[in-house]
Amino acid sequence: METTLRGVGVSHGVAIGEVRHMGTAVLEPPAKQIPAEEAEREQGRARQAVEAVAADLIARGNLAGGEAQHVLEAQAMMAQDPELMADVERRIAVGSTAERAVYDAFAAYRALLAGAGEYLAGRVADLDDVRNRIVARLLGVPMPGVPDSDEPYVLIARDLAPADTALLDPALVLGFVTEEGGPTSHSAILARALGVPAVVALPGAGEIVEGTVIAVDGSTGEVFVDPSAEKRAELAKAAEERKAALAASSGPGATSDGHKVPLLANVGGPADVPAAVEAGAEGVGLFRTEFLFLDDSTRAPSEEKQVETYRKVLEAFPEGRVVVRVLDAGADKPLDFLTPADEPNPALGVRGLRTLLDHPDVLRTQLTALAKAAEGLPVYLEVMAPMVADRIDAKAFADACREAGLRAKFGAMVEIPSAALRARSILQEVEFLSLGTNDLAQYTFAADRQVGAVSRLQDPWQPALLDLVAASAEAAKAEGKSCGVCGEAASDPLLACVLTGLGVTSLSMGAASIPYVRATLAKHTLAQCERAAAAARAADTAEDARAAAQAVLSGE
């Protein structure tokens, strides 16, 4: 009998196939004491397992490339954390086996993360995956990972670690469903980059019996268990229509009546550029430079290395627009040489621009490197600061750009509600705004973007969030300046129309989403987008906002 479940759709497309469940490692090794003379041998086993797991994660990252590579390299650094390793060796010295010492040391670190505020708690899934891989290697059991299968299937898991998501084979894994996670989790972002349909935050997904046929709609978040022949045909027809629309869509982003909406790509470095170019991106709306800094958390990359990396991206978009976000360190992206280790709540502490203003030499080097990278290139370089709270922040950043001799537009990210509410004041100091809807939702609703339990409040369709987008766009229009969106909200084709109707002037997203957004915008006039935006803002819930916008755009 067909039943319908609803989670959060995070990657477009439809997948129909049999369920296979993610394999897991033995989570808790037995607690037993070892003789003192075996301690040195056990410490050696632990070190070897840690290095092997770190090497495996790095190798997976090299194979995957792009954003996945940066995420997996960060996990490898987590595995090799010297304080964690010292704790493991201390536990072995007092009688624990290597596997039990790893388990207990990671448990202690896990508790510290959970107690350091909800933002850092979002890294717990990554930490658990690293622990499971090390323990599995020590116990000699299979690593956690995707099941072996010769036939295509739909994967179900409690959560998917980046190491698993990064190397999913789209020829075999038709789509995936997870019980946990959120729309802006690492797995969701990587799923969009891979173009694999995905639904997250679906309670009870793990109870679906192995081998059951399900249909996953990554756009709506619906999962149909034992779908009828009629439902399968309906979904297949919709998928074909969507595919045909994508094939017919090309060129710059615009509504059907010619209102231009540049469609830009979010990138983490040169490895992400080919996919952006292939998707027809008109430039880069968010160049996340922190990945360059995460390669070595103990010191900043040299000016020469920064120049080389930035230039590769800038060269890929001649006559195009490239918006670079300066280093966004802190919270879930700690750097040993910049961010304090003992902040009680890093998400609400010294993060983003605040960190850079505390370390002006790091900001100056980055801005100087950007200036040198752009020399002689016909690119429209724009540079923006993360986590701008008010006009004082905006002025400090603009002054730093001018002092570094940077010939570019200076902008501010709107990720804090205060910035949206006082956007016109901020625009007295900078030339554009860029809305980071992921963090803006997080701070508006006090809902960590990595925690599946509060995914309802991370939904970018929340009317309160749309109100803040509208306030920012209206302020920019009044000042004759631009206001783009570079958060994951831009990757939802229907929401892209609403954002356009709210007055947003450009949309930036993962490369895989660009064709979907381009095709959907091309079906509707600017006036229709404006009516859809008004209808969405008039609603009281995210679900009602989406339904109201859909009704307007479908002519109901």
Side-chain angles (χ1 to χ4, degrees), residues 420-441:
L421 295 171
R422 300 289 294 174
R424 198 158 182 181
S425 171
I426 287 171
L427 284 165
Q428 304 310 303
E429 305 294 342
V430 296
E431 298 171 82
F432 70 93
L433 301 177
S434 184
L435 288 142
T437 52
N438 305 346
D439 272 320
L440 185 57

Side-chain angles (χ1 to χ4, degrees), residues 128-154:
D128 286 348
D129 180 59
V130 172
R131 176 203 63 197
N132 288 351
R133 289 174 185 277
I134 297 171
V135 170
R137 182 170 288 275
L138 287 165
L139 291 175
V141 300
M143 287 282 177
V146 296
D148 291 328
S149 176
D150 295 328
E151 297 297 324
Y153 59 90
V154 177

Side-chain angles (χ1 to χ4, degrees), residues 464-547:
L465 186 65
L466 299 181
D467 288 344
L468 292 176
V469 173
S472 303
E474 288 164 7
K477 184 177 181 180
E479 294 296 326
K481 296 179 179 180
S482 63
C483 177
V485 167
C486 64
E488 291 300 317
S491 65
D492 179 337
L494 182 62
L495 186 50
C497 293
V498 167
L499 294 173
T500 298
L502 292 174
V504 166
T505 55
S506 66
L507 299 167
S508 189
M509 64 209 77
S513 298
I514 290 175
Y516 291 93
V517 173
R518 182 191 293 119
T520 304
L521 273 176
K523 293 179 184 176
H524 306 290
T525 65
L526 176 59
Q528 287 176 310
C529 292
E530 290 171 341
R531 288 197 296 273
R537 288 183 68 190
D540 290 321
T541 68
E543 189 172 329
D544 288 347
R546 173 184 272 277

Side-chain angles (χ1 to χ4, degrees), residues 46-379:
R47 285 192 295 270
Q48 288 173 0
V50 165
E51 290 305 318
V53 166
D56 178 62
L57 290 169
I58 290 170
R60 285 169 176 260
N62 290 336
L63 284 172
E67 248 183 274
Q69 182 174 2
H70 300 299
V71 171
L72 294 178
E73 286 174 350
Q75 271 198 297
M77 289 171 59
M78 190 181 283
Q80 296 170 305
D81 185 281
E83 290 187 17
L84 256 176
M85 197 61 230
D87 190 18
V88 169
E89 293 186 345
R90 280 194 298 270
R91 292 173 188 273
I92 293 173
V94 294
S96 284
T97 62
E99 47 267 37
R100 186 70 204 192
V102 168
Y103 181 85
D104 289 339
F106 272 73
Y109 191 39
R110 192 183 200 277
L112 281 175
L113 283 185
E118 290 291 334
Y119 205 99
L120 274 181
R123 299 278 67 80
V124 164
D126 292 359
L127 186 70
D128 286 348
D129 180 59
V130 172
R131 176 203 63 197
N132 288 351
R133 289 174 185 277
I134 297 171
V135 170
R137 182 170 288 275
L138 287 165
L139 291 175
V141 300
M143 287 282 177
V146 296
D148 291 328
S149 176
D150 295 328
E151 297 297 324
Y153 59 90
V154 177
L155 180 64
I156 290 185
R158 182 182 63 82
D159 200 358
L160 276 172
D164 298 314
T165 318
L167 294 183
L168 289 179
D169 181 354
L172 282 177
V173 182
L174 303 172
F176 67 75
V177 180
T178 66
E179 291 193 66
E180 299 183 2
T184 59
S185 64
H186 279 150
S187 292
I189 292 171
L190 293 175
R192 285 188 284 272
L194 288 166
V196 177
V199 171
V200 302
L202 182 72
E207 298 171 14
I208 301 175
V209 177
E210 182 100 359
T212 303
V213 173
I214 65 172
V216 179
D217 189 329
S219 299
T220 65
E222 293 174 306
V223 174
F224 304 94
V225 181
D226 289 321
S228 64
E230 291 78 12
K231 175 58 70 175
R232 292 194 205 190
E234 176 189 327
L235 290 170
K237 181 181 178 184
E240 283 302 314
E241 289 175 351
R242 189 179 297 163
K243 187 176 179 181
L246 293 180
S249 174
S250 62
T255 58
S256 62
D257 55 341
H259 174 73
K260 293 183 179 180
V261 187
L263 302 181
L264 312 169
N266 295 342
V267 304
D272 294 335
V273 167
V277 173
E278 184 179 350
E282 297 168 60
V284 171
L286 173 61
F287 180 0
R288 300 181 177 98
T289 60
E290 60 268 17
F291 290 123
L292 178 60
F293 287 75
L294 289 171
D295 285 346
D296 182 353
S297 69
T298 63
R299 60 181 178 180
S302 67
E303 181 181 304
E304 292 74 18
K305 183 176 181 181
Q306 291 190 54
V307 170
E308 179 186 0
T309 301
Y310 302 150
R311 195 168 180 88
K312 286 178 182 176
V313 176
L314 296 176
E315 286 175 335
F317 295 96
E319 307 294 338
R321 177 185 178 200
V322 175
V323 184
V324 178
R325 179 177 70 191
V326 294
L327 175 62
D328 183 13
D332 68 336
K333 292 167 284 192
L335 292 171
D336 294 345
F337 69 96
L338 279 185
T339 50
D342 56 351
E343 276 195 293
N345 192 339
L348 300 180
V350 182
R351 179 193 168 189
L353 180 61
R354 299 168 187 174
T355 301
L356 292 174
L357 294 179
D358 278 354
H359 298 81
D361 54 324
V362 175
L363 176 59
R364 189 182 310 111
T365 299
Q366 185 170 25
L367 295 175
T368 302
L370 284 165
K372 290 182 178 179
E375 284 179 4
L377 294 181
V379 66

